[in-house]
Amino acid sequence: MQPTSSMKEEFLQKWQMGLQIYRPLIDNTSVSERMKAIKLSADVAMASLRRGTTCWSRALIQKTATEDNFLVRQMLSGIKAETLINKKLPKVMCHRKIVRRSKKILRRRKSRSAIEEVAAKARKLVNKKTQGLRNVVPGGEFMSNDVLLIQETLDYIVSLQTQVNVMRSIVDAAEAGSER
Amino acid sequence: MDPTGVSGARSNGGGATREATGLESLHLGDEFRQDNVGGGFTALLELPPTQAVKLLHFADSPSSSSQAATVTGIVPPLHHSYETLTFPSNSALLMERAARFSGETTTSSVPSTSSVKTEPADETNSSQAAVNNRSGKRKDSDKKTEILKKKKNKSSEENEKLPYVHVRARRGQATDSHSLAERARREKINARMKLLQELVPGCDKIQGTALVLDEIINHVQSLQRQVEMLSMRLASVNPRIDFNLDTILGSENGSLMDGSFSGTAMQVVWPHQVIETEQSYHQRQLQQPQQWPFDVLNQRAWGREEDQVHGNDSANLHPNQVKMEL
């Protein structure tokens, strides 16, 4: 599924709204501060497109809220902002470590056969990869379900592509304009 | 610039889906014949060849040989189940795939669509299976599958509208509740992995779950890096531009993107609309709440600028920017 033009439009609108908030601070001369402002507003805009339906969007909003609470509150007007920002981390994360440790202990007792070993290695590899995916996708550590993880990844990739497309065209326009 | 990129990506996506017709796209080996004990992804490794996992809808559709009928038969139940999903962007794609798959021979299995449905009725299926297990001590699961088939066939019409997943057991496979549930779950994961493969360029040729996941991770990381690079570039551009520019672009694009988004048509139409929007800025029907502050802010911003050249630039910016296709 490719990003639709309506998605791009909505993202652009929301991103601008976020940038407007930074407009009075336009005199931050440092490039890194401006970059942070741009990136944060773009991230929140992307996440707000999903209106809290997906796990990654909620996690992303929470992450940016730790960096710039004001921005998030302004961009997500309404009750949603409060509930999203104040949500605590789910407790699933703790359990996974315990489960993993206990699995390791159990594994030592298992009998090995040739086929089993190969399968076990393959399984381990796949598990490692899913853990890697969890690290990359925002909020991935809280998705205990693999099905949910893939679903979120799909949605996240599509949103990222919208974000990249819109940002790229704006940057190209800006650079072309400033070359004159 | 961008139109070619976007249309290229779209055609790639289309080509990829055409390639992944059968369900052998993941091509996971048949070498590991063991019972899966509930590992998540690792279940994928034990997926037997996709020969006979027929789901109820398509098993019964041979009666109605026309493909259009199958498509319309699929669409209503899909609509039902999608309301329960919190994944709106996927529904269009899955419906499209349903249409495509139903166009193929009926022997080809299509778990992707109905595997998206919730599976509360696995219990009912498994209870049926359990009853069969207990009543007849038949070792041949093939016969069990036939019984299940008959029972499902009777209740097929009633079940069509319910979000149930009906999975027929293969020969030699256990039909107890756990493995049925596991199998349904595996089908779900497989279906979504396939969608991911189509989305990520260059993934459909890879065989093996781990490598596919690798590619996906790389793709996500590269996208994230691109976002950072782009925001860095935007920030290093003249600061007055990047905050003003958005207002200009946004208001124009908001109105211009309402029309069709075909590449060639756009480039013809845009020059006209550029002139129009510059003059009839106020008269334009924009749905953004920030419409009127734009004018005020723009004028103030431009008045503030001491740079004469920059003032000229911003006037000249319009044709250039607008020609860029989003």
Side-chain angles (χ1 to χ4, degrees):
Chain A
M1 176 183 177
Q2 300 297 326
T4 64
S5 57
S6 64
M7 274 168 68
K8 291 179 187 171
E9 205 177 313
E10 206 182 330
F11 169 73
L12 186 59
Q13 285 179 21
K14 297 213 163 148
W15 186 29
Q16 282 177 40
M17 192 164 66
L19 286 178
Q20 293 280 330
I21 296 167
Y22 282 106
R23 181 182 277 274
L25 310 172
I26 205 170
D27 298 324
N28 355 341
T29 48
S30 118
V31 177
S32 58
E33 270 184 44
R34 284 210 303 278
M35 174 185 102
K36 195 173 151 195
I38 291 173
K39 182 164 187 296
L40 288 181
S41 44
D43 283 342
V44 178
M46 176 173 79
S48 69
L49 279 184
R50 288 294 174 223
R51 298 177 202 288
T53 47
T54 56
C55 190
W56 66 264
S57 57
R58 294 192 289 261
L60 190 58
I61 290 175
Q62 278 182 337
K63 258 189 227 174
T64 57
T66 58
E67 308 213 17
D68 193 347
N69 210 346
F70 176 69
L71 172 72
V72 176
R73 274 181 205 276
Q74 290 297 311
M75 283 189 72
L76 307 170
S77 51
I79 319 165
K80 207 175 55 144
E82 303 303 319
T83 54
L84 283 180
I85 294 174
N86 295 334
K87 236 170 73 158
K88 290 188 183 169
L89 300 178
K91 292 182 184 174
V92 183
M93 196 160 112
C94 315
H95 296 325
R96 296 199 87 240
K97 288 184 184 169
I98 298 175
V99 167
R100 232 182 284 151
R101 240 178 269 151
S102 52
K103 271 189 190 169
K104 267 189 198 168
I105 296 171
L106 282 175
R107 241 179 260 153
R108 284 179 207 151
R109 296 181 159 217
K110 226 178 168 186
S111 60
R112 310 281 164 92
S113 76
I115 299 179
E116 262 192 35
E117 270 189 30
V118 179
K121 278 187 194 157
R123 234 177 281 156
K124 247 189 260 179
L125 192 61
V126 171
N127 282 340
K128 256 194 206 167
K129 301 295 180 188
T130 50
Q131 188 54 39
L133 189 59
R134 286 207 168 93
N135 293 338
V136 179
V137 173
E141 297 93 11
F142 311 129
M143 299 177 208
S144 49
N145 196 0
D146 279 335
V147 177
L148 183 66
L149 178 65
I150 302 191
Q151 227 169 309
E152 297 284 322
T153 313
L154 267 172
D155 201 36
Y156 184 55
I157 290 181
V158 170
S159 310
L160 271 180
Q161 276 176 349
T162 0
Q163 193 182 17
V164 166
N165 289 346
V166 172
M167 285 179 81
R168 184 176 290 141
S169 51
I170 291 208
V171 166
D172 287 341
E175 289 183 342
S178 71
E179 270 167 24
R180 300 187 142 217
Chain B
M1 251 192 274
D2 262 346
T4 55
V6 171
S7 52
R10 279 200 195 118
S11 63
N12 275 347
T17 51
R18 259 171 249 130
E19 282 172 5
T21 44
L23 289 171
E24 285 85 357
S25 59
L26 276 184
H27 203 278
L28 302 161
D30 209 0
E31 304 116 36
F32 313 119
R33 287 195 179 278
Q34 317 172 39
D35 269 341
N36 178 33
V37 191
F41 268 99
T42 63
L44 289 172
L45 294 173
E46 296 156 8
L47 179 67
T50 62
Q51 210 200 13
V53 181
K54 285 184 195 172
L55 298 166
L56 183 60
H57 297 284
F58 303 101
D60 295 338
S61 62
S63 57
S64 62
S65 53
S66 64
Q67 298 165 0
T70 59
V71 169
T72 53
I74 294 160
V75 166
L78 282 179
H79 272 300
H80 266 280
S81 54
Y82 285 147
E83 284 159 14
T84 63
L85 284 180
T86 61
F87 191 43
S89 60
N90 211 5
S91 52
L93 174 63
L94 282 177
M95 304 247 287
E96 188 189 310
R97 289 171 56 84
R100 221 179 294 123
F101 274 124
S102 64
E104 294 175 359
T105 61
T106 53
T107 53
S108 67
S109 43
V110 193
S112 62
T113 52
S114 26
S115 64
V116 172
K117 297 180 187 172
T118 57
E119 44 169 25
D122 248 359
E123 278 81 44
T124 63
N125 291 340
S126 55
S127 63
Q128 282 182 2
V131 165
N132 291 337
N133 283 346
R134 276 180 239 137
S135 58
K137 290 184 183 176
R138 298 175 200 160
K139 292 184 184 173
D140 199 359
S141 60
D142 209 16
K143 294 183 184 174
K144 285 179 192 168
T145 62
E146 279 193 27
I147 289 184
L148 286 174
K149 219 196 292 184
K150 284 176 197 165
K151 285 195 178 171
K152 286 172 195 167
N153 279 339
K154 283 179 198 166
S155 56
S156 64
E157 289 88 21
E158 306 144 22
N159 287 342
E160 256 192 14
K161 293 195 177 170
L162 296 173
Y164 287 1
V165 173
H166 299 282
V167 180
R168 186 178 303 153
R170 253 169 262 115
R171 189 194 171 108
Q173 291 256 331
T175 54
D176 56 332
S177 61
H178 291 297
S179 38
L180 274 179
E182 274 171 29
R183 201 175 308 130
R185 188 162 161 270
R186 252 180 275 160
E187 300 308 322
K188 267 193 196 173
I189 292 183
N190 287 349
R192 275 141 213 197
M193 285 289 291
K194 222 173 308 156
L195 285 174
L196 265 179
Q197 277 191 312
E198 289 172 12
L199 196 59
V200 176
C203 233
D204 26 359
K205 313 221 169 134
I206 299 181
Q207 293 166 354
T209 321
L211 297 173
V212 167
L213 285 174
D214 233 353
E215 270 306 308
I216 294 170
I217 293 175
N218 287 341
H219 191 237
V220 171
Q221 278 176 340
S222 84
L223 283 175
Q224 286 173 341
R225 260 178 270 139
Q226 277 182 40
V227 168
E228 276 197 45
M229 282 298 301
L230 286 171
S231 59
M232 169 93 67
R233 278 166 68 187
L234 190 56
S236 57
V237 152
N238 191 332
R240 294 189 197 111
I241 290 191
D242 54 18
F243 292 108
N244 294 340
L245 187 94
D246 294 316
T247 65
I248 300 167
L249 262 187
S251 50
E252 284 177 349
N253 285 333
S255 49
L256 289 168
M257 278 197 271
D258 290 337
S260 66
F261 220 71
S262 59
T264 52
M266 280 291 258
Q267 281 157 12
V268 172
V269 170
W270 282 45
H272 296 287
Q273 289 184 324
V274 166
I275 302 168
E276 190 193 351
T277 49
E278 279 179 354
Q279 291 166 358
S280 63
Y281 204 40
H282 309 272
Q283 295 147 20
R284 271 255 165 198
Q285 260 278 331
L286 296 170
Q287 290 146 0
Q288 302 166 22
Q290 317 103 301
Q291 181 190 350
W292 53 270
F294 282 175
D295 306 324
V296 179
L297 283 170
N298 284 339
Q299 287 165 19
R300 230 188 279 149
W302 292 348
R304 242 188 277 143
E305 280 160 19
E306 303 131 12
D307 217 349
Q308 264 305 309
V309 180
H310 191 70
N312 289 339
D313 277 350
S314 44
N316 292 334
L317 271 175
H318 292 274
N320 284 343
Q321 302 157 18
V322 168
K323 273 172 196 162
M324 302 286 175
E325 226 192 57
L326 266 186

